[in-house]
Amino acid sequence: MPHHSWRLVLVLAGAAAATGGAAAASDGAPAVDPAPRKVDGARGCVETIRFGVVDGIAPLSVAPATAWLDDAPDLCFAWYRQPSGPVALEKISNGDLDFATMGSVPFTTAIERGAPVSAIGILAIQLSAEGLATRYGLQEPRSLRGSTIATVRGSTSHYMFEAFLLETGIDPRDVTLVFAAPKEITRLWDAGAIDGAACWTPTLDHVLATPHGATGTPALVVYDAETLRRWGYRTGVLLVARDDFVARLPDVAQRVVERVVRAAYAYNTNPNSFDWTAGRYADVVGRSFWLELGNETTFSRAAVAEILTRNTWPGILEQMGFRGTMGAAILRRQAAFLFAQKDLAETPYEDAAPYLDRIDISFLSEARLLQYETIPLDADPDPVPDFVPYAVRAQMPVPGEGCESFTVLDDENATFDDGSTGEHAYARNANCVWALRAPATGCVVLEVPFLSSEALRDRVDIFSAAGDLRASFSGRRRGKRPTTVGCVVPDAPPGVAAALVGGAAPNVDSVALYVRWSTDDEDELAMGAIEPVGFRATARAIEPQERICGPGRGGALCDAPYCVGVVEVTGEGGVIKTQVADDAYQPNSRCAWRIPARGGRVVLDVARLGLERVRDVVTIYDGAAATPGFGALAQPVPFPVFELLRRKYRMSGTHAPTVPLVVDNDVFVTFESDGIANRPRDGGPAGLEIRWRRDAAESTLCPEVASCGRNGRCEEGVCVCDTGYYGETCAFDTCVGAAPWRVAPSGRIVSNAGADYSPGQFCGWPLNIPGREGESIAGIRLRFDRFDIEAPEGQATTTDRAVVFYSVGPQQGSVLCIFRRVMSQQGQTSAGAAVDPATDETKFTFDDGDTLEVLLPEPAAAGANVQLMLGFETDANNHRPFSGFDVTYGVRFHGGLVFCDEIWPCADGEVCKQNGCVPEESKSSRSRRSRRKLRQLRRGVAIAALVFACVMVLALCVFFGVYARRVVRTKDELETERVRVVRDQVDSARQWVEDFQAPFCVVAADTFIALGALRPHEALRDGPRDADDDECDKQHTRLEFYDSVDDVERARRGGAVFVFLSHQWLGHAHPDPAGIHYKAMCRA
């Protein structure tokens, strides 16, 4: 087979995942034993190729049950079921899969986010295998208003549903969209919790075949993919390959592409043949599909034949034609949809090149050249074989296999695993915890030599005795995993085991490490060359030892070139990094660094920030406690107010602050990444590098520790930021965490100073509203002088909002009110909207400048303070710049008292007294009181005037005597000084005129003409630098310098004529690349 040089490869497969709710077997399909069989690993293959398949039937489905792609004993294929294209994209991006099928919309996500994958062909173009099905009575587009529809976020089904709403004139805000996995969609439909589903087979078939759970009515199809295709919304199912895999094994990629086009051609040339309708190919495809569903249903060959007609299977020329302007336009349109739906943080590419670069047709070209497409499936080379024993089954869990919820291991050398045997799948919904004790040695070293699981969903987490996350492993990435060491903590907090188990657990002493194995309720149901799955770990007791890893290294032995888990930072300063190299950081990272302040403050200088925007983030917390996800005892809450109160800074993207960040406390720094891209989209060094140091508490923040930059001023050692700037050193022009507590009955809050607030943020302004004697606080008043946050427009959705909730106390996190921006039905004007947090419905709308009231559920006790927080949550992007909000707040008392101050004036007819509005008095009362006060004032003024006059007369006498003497003396001194100053000024002016103010240098005209081209001044000044430059060149580089007027006059008397020529550089590296200016100067 020809060897291909490496190239990005992607196959667009327009085939929708074929539906799986086919009728029960009725045409004699042979029975298959569903029980897994013990086999010898992956048949002893040198390498197992992992192929992710989204639910569906395609001509290529002849491969999983027949090992048609295998090249034993060298290469074998294991086929893993993927619930959706977005999930398949995540797994192939992080290295768990080598090939995957997915829709064109998830592949567009891969392009926009820079995932290391490409397309090598098109499997199918959807017709009726994908669409929208709703319960009876909702088939008309207008009837969808008020309905609840489920779909998979970021899928082709999601894209087509939004396109359908757009084309039929339905406002997306009138439909409640629920995002769920296909398996969850079937549960929601069966329970009657949704009115319909935008999905593909087999989920679509399930909805159509099952009565609605609430009404009992059947479902009908509203539209299918073919309808949307006629409207201009083309989608496809693609074959996607990892770039590094194709570079390493291009022949395997060629093999896969050739099988794709060969299977498609075999079906297209005779789809009604016996082989495809009732014979062996229908049987092979049906078995693969049946196994893909986990033996949950039977199949009929007739159903297989019908499902195959729901898509078209493009040939070589049609696939190759996708790499053109039409294909780029299709992907670019889908990218605009993903950006509007907040699945992309970066603005989509405008030109076609980034899309076309990810579609490589060279493998298709090779297959066409060899006329591989026309070879029948039963002919050489490589005919489709009969069923092979190892492939006619799916990898499933076996009842009774699994692990205990809590196990204590005391052995000095212990081995434990997930409890599955052979090649059986591990148990679903597992949550097993092992406590590793080290009563004699004090420490335990843990290694995980084997792990094969679904990335993120099924994983091994390792915790210290104190509950810190030491490491987290998941997925199938090849290579050794870092070693973990844990030691006994004498004062370890209680409850770590119970928190990990999720219920009651015994307290165990001398624990060095906890290990937790957790899984979800999904199975990948592998077929083909099945690999063992689950995990195996070994632990052994060791003596305590200290090892400090260099920047960017992780693991107890520093054997990982990337960060791992929570690290206790030591010393007085240093560097923390996410990885050693400057290329992509580790996918699915969860790293943290705890930096103790030791009574001082911690200063952090962000030397490098190169993260994928919004998706991968670094967060800096005030305090040493671990946050949710990094500590067993840190449990997440719906509204993480406590976490937000600790959050000082949250950063993403590539714009690092230009001034150091400061925290007057211990610091907990976290870094989290997902499984896609893991580098900035536009290139540059990737990862995080922070240089930190510890400063003494006695030193002032500014100017000793850091400056306040251009956006603040230093007052009494503290930076006072300009309006809209945040951070201890005013480093950010938008909110990035929790602002300092504000203890005042009123104030002003501005979200950002720039023209656009930052996406992907959750900011907060904690307010401590002081009580007033005899008065109880009922809430706060708000006046949004500017409320310009993103509102849904067209297909663009948004979750940006301002939230008022309790910040402390037993009601911490309780939401009092939500403020959003809404568009009018005509989409032309927008207004703020107060939303009921219980129902998510708009209570009322408001315009800029209106006064709003947010009331507590019940008034506070008289004189008591109330602590609230104004939060600001933003989503992944803004479809255009938004200036944020500018809000003034003030306390709202219970009863009749209205608070007032300089920013909250009283209403007409009221005056402000002691921060309370009171009615103005009548004119008669004011007149009598004024006359009485006037008489008293007159008597006092008369007495004071008399005393003052006497004192003044005496003082004036003394003053004028002393003053007269001083005037005479001062006059003489000033006259003398004036004469001296005038003389000095005249001398200085004369000297200044005589000095030459503009020294310059020239080159002789004949020398200039002999140069042959313009040369930079520095080249002429420095002269030739090489020893072999001839004398002529040396003469050409001579400059004449004139430093004074006398020099110029002497030259002029000698007949010199000075000519000044000015020109503008025409190039970046040379002043006149084409010699245009030089020739004009010579002619002049």
Side-chain angles (χ1 to χ4, degrees), residues 261-273:
V261 299
R262 187 175 166 190
Y265 181 82
Y267 176 81
N268 290 335
T269 53
N270 200 355
N272 297 319
S273 67

Side-chain angles (χ1 to χ4, degrees), residues 832-847:
V835 180
D836 188 340
T839 63
D840 203 38
E841 295 179 353
T842 299
K843 296 191 293 184
F844 60 86
T845 60
F846 62 89
D847 294 318

Side-chain angles (χ1 to χ4, degrees), residues 173 792-794 821-831 880:
R173 292 166 290 180
E793 297 179 18
R821 199 76 175 170
V822 295
M823 298 296 296
S824 67
Q825 291 297 325
Q826 294 76 25
Q828 296 177 349
T829 60
S830 62
R880 62 175 177 81

Side-chain angles (χ1 to χ4, degrees), residues 36-313:
R37 300 172 183 156
K38 296 283 186 182
V39 296
D40 181 20
R43 296 192 304 120
C45 296
V46 174
E47 182 169 356
T48 300
I49 311 302
R50 295 163 180 163
F51 203 124
V53 182
V54 178
D55 291 341
I57 285 180
L60 185 63
S61 298
V62 299
T66 63
W68 187 34
L69 282 172
D70 288 14
D71 189 15
D74 295 331
L75 300 175
C76 301
F77 277 74
W79 304 76
Y80 290 93
R81 179 192 184 191
Q82 305 301 307
S84 65
V87 174
L89 170 60
E90 180 182 331
K91 292 181 181 177
I92 194 173
S93 297
N94 67 27
D96 282 6
L97 298 174
D98 303 308
F99 294 93
T101 63
M102 66 183 67
S104 54
V105 173
F107 177 64
T108 302
T109 301
I111 295 176
E112 291 291 343
R113 294 187 58 187
V117 298
S118 299
I120 50 178
I122 303 179
L123 294 179
I125 302 296
Q126 293 101 322
L127 297 177
S128 61
E130 191 166 4
L132 171 65
T134 60
R135 61 179 174 84
Y136 183 79
L138 297 180
Q139 279 64 56
E140 290 293 326
R142 62 177 179 271
S143 63
L144 292 176
R145 293 187 175 94
S147 64
T148 300
I149 305 297
T151 192
V152 177
R153 186 183 186 105
S155 64
T156 54
S157 293
H158 183 197
Y159 170 67
M160 286 189 285
F161 179 72
E162 294 288 347
F164 177 78
L165 296 182
L166 179 66
E167 292 294 329
T168 55
I170 300 175
D171 191 332
R173 292 166 290 180
D174 294 337
V175 180
T176 300
L177 202 57
V178 176
F179 295 118
K183 188 174 183 178
E184 181 62 21
I185 290 176
T186 62
R187 294 172 183 168
L188 294 172
W189 175 261
D190 294 346
I194 56 176
D195 298 307
C199 54
W200 58 91
T201 55
T203 307
L204 183 63
D205 280 6
H206 176 89
V207 172
L208 292 172
T210 307
H212 187 251
T215 64
T217 57
L220 298 176
V221 174
V222 178
Y223 67 79
D224 58 21
E226 185 177 13
T227 302
L228 272 296
R229 185 168 177 261
R230 290 197 300 267
W231 292 356
Y233 297 90
R234 298 188 59 179
T235 55
V237 177
L238 317 179
L239 173 64
V240 181
R242 275 191 63 87
D243 296 342
D244 55 358
F245 178 87
V246 174
R248 185 170 60 90
L249 296 173
D251 288 347
V252 177
Q254 182 70 56
R255 185 183 183 87
V256 171
V257 171
E258 290 173 348
R259 297 302 192 279
V260 169
V261 299
R262 187 175 166 190
Y265 181 82
Y267 176 81
N268 290 335
T269 53
N270 200 355
N272 297 319
S273 67
F274 177 80
D275 280 343
W276 287 106
T277 57
R280 53 177 176 165
Y281 297 148
D283 193 29
V284 170
V285 171
R287 286 174 184 266
S288 295
F289 185 56
W290 182 59
L291 294 169
E292 186 180 304
L293 297 180
N295 301 334
E296 296 174 354
T297 183
T298 55
F299 73 96
S300 70
R301 297 185 182 93
V304 171
E306 188 276 328
I307 292 172
L308 285 171
T309 65
R310 299 181 185 180
N311 305 287
T312 61
W313 316 100

Side-chain angles (χ1 to χ4, degrees), residues 412-703:
E412 291 189 358
N413 293 280
T415 300
F416 55 99
D417 55 39
D418 61 278
S420 61
T421 61
E423 294 177 354
H424 296 162
Y426 45 76
R428 305 169 184 167
N429 297 314
N431 190 71
C432 306
V433 177
W434 291 265
L436 310 181
R437 298 182 70 244
T441 61
C443 296
V444 166
V445 59
L446 178 74
E447 294 182 339
V448 182
F450 172 74
L451 172 65
S452 179
S453 70
E454 281 195 83
L456 289 183
R457 293 159 177 80
D458 307 329
R459 66 193 191 196
V460 174
D461 293 327
I462 305 170
F463 296 87
S464 69
D468 283 341
L469 179 71
R470 287 298 184 224
S472 181
F473 305 130
S474 68
R476 294 187 172 86
R477 291 194 302 275
R478 299 172 175 90
K480 181 184 176 182
R481 290 166 181 82
T483 303
T484 308
V485 171
C487 297
V488 176
V489 178
D491 54 349
V496 174
L500 295 175
V501 171
N507 290 323
V508 182
D509 61 357
S510 302
V511 173
L513 284 175
Y514 292 97
V515 180
R516 180 177 64 189
W517 165 250
S518 56
T519 66
D520 63 6
D521 63 348
E522 289 279 355
D523 280 325
E524 289 186 290
L525 301 170
M527 296 179 288
I530 295 175
E531 303 173 286
V533 295
F535 87 97
R536 182 177 71 257
T538 61
R540 57 186 175 85
I542 62 171
E543 297 293 334
Q545 53 182 287
E546 184 177 359
R547 184 187 294 266
I548 300 176
C549 298
R553 291 201 166 272
L557 304 179
C558 307
D559 49 355
Y562 50 84
C563 61
V564 179
V566 179
V567 177
E568 302 285 344
V569 177
T570 60
E572 296 300 314
V575 178
I576 56 180
K577 295 178 65 176
T578 51
Q579 79 274 12
V580 174
D582 291 341
D583 56 359
Y585 39 86
Q586 193 75 352
N588 302 320
S589 294
R590 280 198 293 164
C591 309
W593 297 265
R594 181 179 285 117
I595 307 175
R598 297 177 184 169
R601 60 166 58 94
V602 178
V603 181
L604 305 114
D605 189 358
V606 183
R608 182 174 77 230
L609 184 67
L611 309 179
E612 186 184 9
R613 191 180 185 194
V614 174
R615 305 301 178 188
D616 306 329
V617 297
V618 55
T619 310
I620 300 173
Y621 293 94
D622 185 330
T627 55
F630 293 90
L633 300 178
Q635 299 300 319
V637 294
F639 288 91
V641 179
F642 178 71
E643 181 210 357
L644 178 57
L645 285 171
R646 291 183 53 205
R647 184 184 298 176
K648 299 293 290 185
Y649 310 100
R650 181 180 176 90
M651 296 175 290
S652 187
T654 57
H655 297 294
T658 57
V659 295
L661 310 179
V662 179
V663 180
D664 291 323
N665 198 355
D666 297 340
V667 171
F668 193 74
V669 181
T670 66
F671 170 67
E672 298 174 88
S673 69
D674 66 3
I676 301 176
N678 306 125
R679 65 174 72 222
R681 188 184 76 161
D682 297 329
L688 170 74
E689 180 179 344
I690 297 178
R691 297 168 184 157
W692 70 275
R693 69 178 189 272
R694 187 181 296 109
D695 278 344
E698 298 78 23
S699 60
T700 59
L701 173 61
C702 62

